[in-house]
DNA sequence: GGCATAACGATAATCGTTATCACTGTGGTG
DNA sequence: CACCACAGTGATAACGATTATCGTTATGCC
């Protein structure tokens, strides 16, 4: 198990302090702005380590990976293709049906990602 | 509406000729091997145009985008994290539940992607 | 035939991410 | 306490997929 160093703790604190979905660059800047400069490579390594330990979660979007706190119940994401806003939702039945589908195909499920794309309520106005 | 040029027709033919999920590089090589050399930039542009016209579909994986024929009924994907094998499955109820979830959040749905990760039956043996 | 326009193809540029490598901090161990 | 092993750090180079650039080419229309 890797160490929870000062830097990794700082990354974790930032992520846990909000419900945002952060990318590596945003985290680097946020920490620098807070007077805790950190190397971008350290951020990437830290994020990988924290995720491996289950302390944070990630979603893989088309261009980049985004990280969020793990201390919430499982959910999936809706991404607004206009403004980038990310809405969360969870649906227990969907999870169950996924399990069933995997079982049917003889697939040993280790993870999944459901992302829905569309326009958030705000962006539908225009 | 963009044109269906010789090159784009060739890309489309390759994709429609199998149930594989192709990336841009594989398509370029396949066409070159078939005696129809094509520029990689042309492949990318062609793929974008073909997808915009609904003639092919794509899935965004962590590292790259893969394209498949569009003349099949809608389905989602299971990706083997060991060998890269892609299995398809469809579940009507899941689609309906997604619609419901989007509606609930006031989200105007334009697309979605559900990818499940795990081990295919072959890779579980080892 | 000539011209406007979209597409092509070679290649440079971009961007997120990973690898490299010299250096640093930490935690045993003798 | 000094030393060593080793994971982590940070600057930066490298990488890989994709996009932009730009001169050239093909196509369709008057």
């Amino acid at each position: 198990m890797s160490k929870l160093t000062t830097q990794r703790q700082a990354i974790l604190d930032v992520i846990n302090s909000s419900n945002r979905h952060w990318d590596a660059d945003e985290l680097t800047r946020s920490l620098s702005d807070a007077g805790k400069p950190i190397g971008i490579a350290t951020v990437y390594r830290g994020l990988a380590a924290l995720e491996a330990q289950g302390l944070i979660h990630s979603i893989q979007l088309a261009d980049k990976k985004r990280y969020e706190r793990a201390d919430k119940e499982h959910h999936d994401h809706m991404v607004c293709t206009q403004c980038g806003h990310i809405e969360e939702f969870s649906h227990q039945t969907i999870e169950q049906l996924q399990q069933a589908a995997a079982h049917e195909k003889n697939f040993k499920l280790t993870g999944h990602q459901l992302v829905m794309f569309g326009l958030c309520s705000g962006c539908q106005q225009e």
Side-chain angles (χ1 to χ4, degrees), chain A:
Chain A
M1 181 73 77
S2 57
K3 296 183 207 170
L4 195 55
T5 62
T6 311
Q7 288 88 339
R8 293 181 184 175
Q9 183 65 60
I11 294 171
L12 185 55
D13 288 345
V14 172
I15 292 175
N16 278 338
S17 71
S18 83
N19 286 319
R20 283 187 52 179
H21 298 74
W22 302 81
D23 65 33
D25 201 54
E26 288 166 353
L27 285 164
T28 307
R29 275 201 307 264
S30 172
L31 285 167
S32 294
D33 292 351
K36 299 178 187 171
I38 187 172
I40 184 78
T42 305
V43 173
Y44 277 106
R45 274 183 304 237
L47 287 170
L50 290 169
E51 184 173 25
Q53 290 172 82
L55 297 174
I56 56 176
H57 287 157
S58 72
I59 50 171
Q60 173 71 51
L61 299 184
D63 51 344
K64 61 178 68 163
K65 214 166 175 179
R66 288 188 171 274
Y67 295 84
E68 64 179 330
R69 61 203 300 183
D71 58 356
K72 308 203 292 186
E73 73 172 22
H74 173 75
H75 57 265
D76 289 304
H77 298 90
M78 290 184 227
V79 180
C80 178
T81 50
Q82 185 107 65
C83 70
H85 171 69
I86 299 179
E87 188 89 43
E88 303 173 351
F89 73 96
S90 54
H91 212 303
Q92 220 180 333
T93 316
I94 292 182
E95 308 288 318
Q96 289 166 0
L97 291 173
Q98 284 175 33
Q99 288 287 350
H103 190 71
E104 199 176 306
K105 294 284 186 183
N106 223 350
F107 222 80
K108 184 172 181 185
L109 208 54
T110 56
H112 76 268
Q113 176 173 302
L114 169 57
V115 180
M116 291 163 60
F117 302 100
L119 292 176
C120 69
S121 51
C123 288
Q124 288 172 47
Q125 314 289 315
E126 294 135 34

